[in-house]
Amino acid sequence: MPAFVDRARIFVKSGKGGDGHVSFRREKFVANGGPDGGDGGKGGDVIIVVDPGVNTLSDFHFGGKYKAENGEDGGKRRCHGKNGQDITIKVPAGTVIKDAASGKVIIDMSGDTTKHVLLKGGKGGNGNMHYATSTMQAPRYAQPGQPAKELEILLELKMIADVGLVGFPNVGKSTFLTKVSNARPKVANYHFTTLTPMLGVVSLNDARGFVVADIPGLIEGAAEGAGLGHEFLRHIERTRVMIHVVDIAGTEGRDPFEDIEAINNELSKYNADITKKPQVIAANKIDMLPDGEDSDIIQKLRDKYEPQGVKVFATSTLSGKGINELLYYISRELDNLEDTSIVFESEFDPETELKEESEAFTVEYDSAEQEYVIEGPKIEKMLGYTNLDSEKGFAFFQNFLVENGILDQLEALGIQEGDTVRMYGNSFDYYRNADTVEGGQPTEEPADDDTDMEEDDEFNE
C-alpha cells in the first residue's frame, strides 16, 4: 500500500511559444515573391485537475519536474508551427497549491474548482508575412515566441471532512471511527500516534450523514513542529465541527481536563480560527470507570464546558454506550451550520507575478570596468527581438531606453557623454542630443537573427 503523503514540492514549467519564420515565396517565373513566413505554435499549458480516484500526494513524494511541450517554430509557405502539448497534473480534492518561495496560496482545488490552468504557455511569434507594408515589402524579421514560465510550487492536501476527531494518542479515536463509520484503521493499544489521517462516512437513519476525519494524535508543542502533530494540523482546517476524544478513565495516567486545554492551546497556536468551530467532547472509556456514566468526573466535565456551549457525551467504544446520541447531535449541529465548503482564497497570481519579474531590469555602474551595466529579463528579451544593425531596429532601441526610464537612471548615476554602456555583450558609446540617444553602433557585432521591430502592439509585448 502506498505511503500517505500530504505535502510535496515540485517544479512546473509551461511551453515556450514557437518563433515566427522568415521566408519568401519562391515560384517559377516569380523573381521576387512576397514574404510567406508562418507563425510559431503556442506553448503548452500546465494544468492542475482533481482526480476523484486519488486521495494522497504519494505520486509527488520525491518531487520532480513537470514541463509542458514547446510550440514549434513557423515554417515557409505560411505553415503554422504545431502547438505544444499541455501537461496535466492530477491531485486529490482538497489540495492547496502554493508558491514555494512566498508560501502564498495560488489555488485551492476544492469546491467547484476541479480544473485550473496554473501556467499558460507562451504565444507563438508572428511570421514575416505579417509585417509587409507598402514601404517595406520584404521584411527580413519575424517575432520570437513568448518565453516559457516556470515556478516551484508546494502541494498541500487539506482533507475535506465535516467532522474532525482530535485528541492525544491512545484515547480511542481510531476505535471510535471504526465504531461509527465504514473506515477500518488499524486499532491496537499503541503508545504512539497513528501515522495516517483516516476518513470515514457516518450513515444515520432519518438524519443526514457526514464525513469524519481521524486526525493523528496531537502532542504538546505540535504547533511549533514537535512530533508528527504539526504535519497533520492542516487537515483540521476544513472541518466544520470538532470532537475532542478524551480518556475519561485516565488509563494512560492522563488528566482529561488538562488534555482538553492542551489540545485547544495547540489548535489556537496553529490557527486561532480553528478554536471558534463548534466543539463536542466525547468522554470515552466510561466502561472503565467504577460508576460508569454517573461518575463525578463526567459531571465536573459538564459543569466546566457545557456553560461554554461545548456539549459533553459519556461514551464507550467498547459497548457503544452514548455513541448514537453523540452522532445524532452532530448531525443536527451540521444542519444548523451554513452549508458552505471552506475554500482558501487565492493570494498569488503566477501570470501577474511572473510578468512583473520578467520585466525587471537593473542599471548599475561597474567601477572595475568603468562601464555602466544594464541587465535584466526585460533587457535580454528586447535585445533578442531587435536587429540593432538596421536603422529602424536601432531607432526602436533608442526609444526603448527613453520610454523605460533607463536614460534617467543612467543620468542619476552620473553618466557623461562618451562613457560606455554595456548590455549582455553589446557595448555602446553614450551620447545624448535633446530627447534622443545618439549612441554609437555596438562595438561587438550582435548575432544576425534576421529580426527587427515593427510598430505593432502585439509585437512590442
Side-chain angles (χ1 to χ4, degrees):
M1 181 178 179
F4 180 85
V5 178
D6 61 357
R7 199 167 190 268
R9 181 190 294 256
I10 63 174
F11 173 87
V12 294
K13 184 176 182 178
S14 63
K16 174 190 176 299
D19 295 336
H21 188 69
V22 176
S23 62
F24 298 89
R25 186 161 52 91
R26 294 290 180 263
E27 294 181 20
K28 195 173 183 180
F29 308 118
V30 180
N32 297 306
D36 68 350
D39 301 340
K42 176 185 173 297
D45 298 336
V46 177
I47 303 173
I48 307 288
V49 299
V50 170
D51 185 346
V54 176
N55 57 13
T56 175
L57 296 173
S58 57
D59 288 346
F60 311 101
H61 184 48
F62 299 105
K65 297 181 179 181
Y66 298 81
K67 300 179 181 179
E69 189 177 41
N70 292 335
E72 290 186 355
D73 295 342
K76 59 180 64 176
R77 297 178 183 172
R78 298 177 176 258
C79 288
H80 192 290
K82 181 182 176 183
N83 291 340
Q85 188 171 353
D86 299 335
I87 186 168
T88 299
I89 300 173
K90 297 181 180 180
V91 299
T95 301
V96 179
I97 315 296
K98 295 182 176 181
D99 169 51
S102 65
K104 293 181 179 180
V105 174
I106 298 174
I107 191 69
D108 183 353
M109 301 301 293
S110 63
D112 295 331
T113 304
T114 58
K115 183 176 181 180
H116 179 74
V117 178
L118 185 66
L119 294 178
K120 293 181 180 179
K123 292 181 180 178
N126 290 331
N128 70 330
M129 64 179 179
H130 292 277
Y131 301 109
T133 67
S134 58
T135 57
M136 184 178 291
Q137 298 181 9
R140 298 191 59 81
Y141 49 83
Q143 185 183 28
Q146 289 185 347
K149 299 182 180 71
E150 58 185 50
L151 192 66
E152 190 173 27
I153 60 173
L154 289 176
L155 308 178
E156 287 190 355
L157 176 59
K158 298 176 187 285
M159 280 189 169
I160 301 175
D162 300 302
V163 180
L165 299 178
V166 296
F168 277 84
N170 207 35
V171 296
K173 299 195 313 303
S174 297
T175 308
F176 182 92
L177 187 66
T178 303
K179 193 79 175 180
V180 304
S181 75
N182 59 352
R184 291 295 176 264
K186 293 181 180 179
V187 177
N189 188 28
Y190 298 126
H191 287 268
F192 50 85
T193 182
T194 304
L195 300 181
T196 302
M198 293 290 296
L199 288 177
V201 178
V202 176
S203 299
L204 298 173
N205 294 327
D206 304 322
R208 71 173 285 170
F210 50 88
V211 178
V212 180
D214 171 19
I215 311 301
L218 302 180
I219 62 173
E220 291 180 83
E224 283 80 27
L228 289 170
H230 179 262
E231 295 299 316
F232 301 113
L233 279 166
R234 69 177 65 93
H235 297 298
I236 304 173
E237 294 184 79
R238 293 197 198 272
T239 59
R240 302 166 65 204
V241 176
M242 285 190 301
I243 301 177
H244 282 259
V245 182
V246 294
D247 179 1
I248 196 65
T251 58
E252 299 290 319
R254 304 193 61 87
D255 181 284
F257 291 90
E258 292 179 359
D259 281 3
I260 294 170
E261 294 303 315
I263 292 294
N264 275 332
N265 185 46
E266 293 305 317
L267 296 176
S268 179
K269 285 190 290 186
Y270 178 74
N271 184 342
D273 291 337
I274 293 178
T275 55
K276 299 175 184 178
K277 298 176 185 287
Q279 299 182 16
V280 174
I281 295 174
N284 198 33
K285 302 187 180 181
I286 59 172
D287 52 282
M288 303 187 74
L289 290 174
D291 299 327
E293 62 181 308
D294 297 324
S295 175
D296 289 343
I297 191 171
I298 294 178
Q299 189 56 49
K300 289 178 181 178
L301 210 61
R302 287 176 173 148
D303 291 344
K304 178 173 182 178
Y305 289 103
E306 290 195 346
Q308 301 176 28
V310 180
K311 186 77 172 173
V312 177
F313 290 86
T315 64
S316 169
T317 52
L318 182 65
S319 67
K321 183 74 175 178
I323 298 293
N324 277 346
E325 291 87 342
L326 170 59
L327 297 180
Y328 277 95
Y329 176 83
I330 293 291
S331 179
R332 291 193 297 272
E333 282 290 293
L334 291 172
D335 282 337
N336 294 331
L337 294 174
E338 186 178 354
D339 193 12
T340 56
S341 58
I342 298 172
V343 178
F344 295 89
E345 295 294 328
S346 297
E347 306 167 316
F348 183 97
D349 179 9
E351 290 296 316
T352 301
E353 300 286 345
L354 295 179
K355 182 177 180 181
E356 291 177 356
E357 181 180 314
S358 69
E359 294 188 351
F361 62 85
T362 59
V363 181
E364 299 175 340
Y365 180 66
D366 184 346
S367 57
E369 298 293 333
Q370 296 185 337
E371 293 179 336
Y372 291 84
V373 182
I374 305 173
E375 292 182 335
K378 187 170 186 177
I379 305 301
E380 192 171 18
K381 180 181 177 182
M382 180 273 297
L383 292 174
Y385 58 58
T386 305
N387 184 357
L388 298 177
D389 284 339
S390 75
E391 182 180 348
K392 194 169 187 179
F394 199 76
F396 168 78
F397 165 70
Q398 292 175 311
N399 290 332
F400 178 90
L401 298 181
V402 174
E403 292 171 0
N404 286 275
I406 295 174
L407 292 186
D408 292 336
Q409 293 189 44
L410 287 170
E411 291 189 344
L413 291 174
I415 195 170
Q416 300 295 321
E417 290 197 0
D419 287 347
T420 301
V421 178
R422 187 176 77 243
M423 299 182 188
Y424 290 99
N426 297 310
S427 294
F428 308 86
D429 293 329
Y430 177 83
Y431 295 97
R432 184 178 180 91
N433 180 17
D435 292 327
T436 63
V437 178
E438 304 236 346
Q441 293 293 336
T443 58
E444 182 177 333
E445 196 74 16
D448 183 11
D449 56 2
D450 284 331
T451 60
D452 199 348
M453 173 54 61
E454 187 77 10
E455 293 184 6
D456 180 288
D457 289 341
E458 183 179 4
F459 192 71
N460 289 344
E461 287 181 353

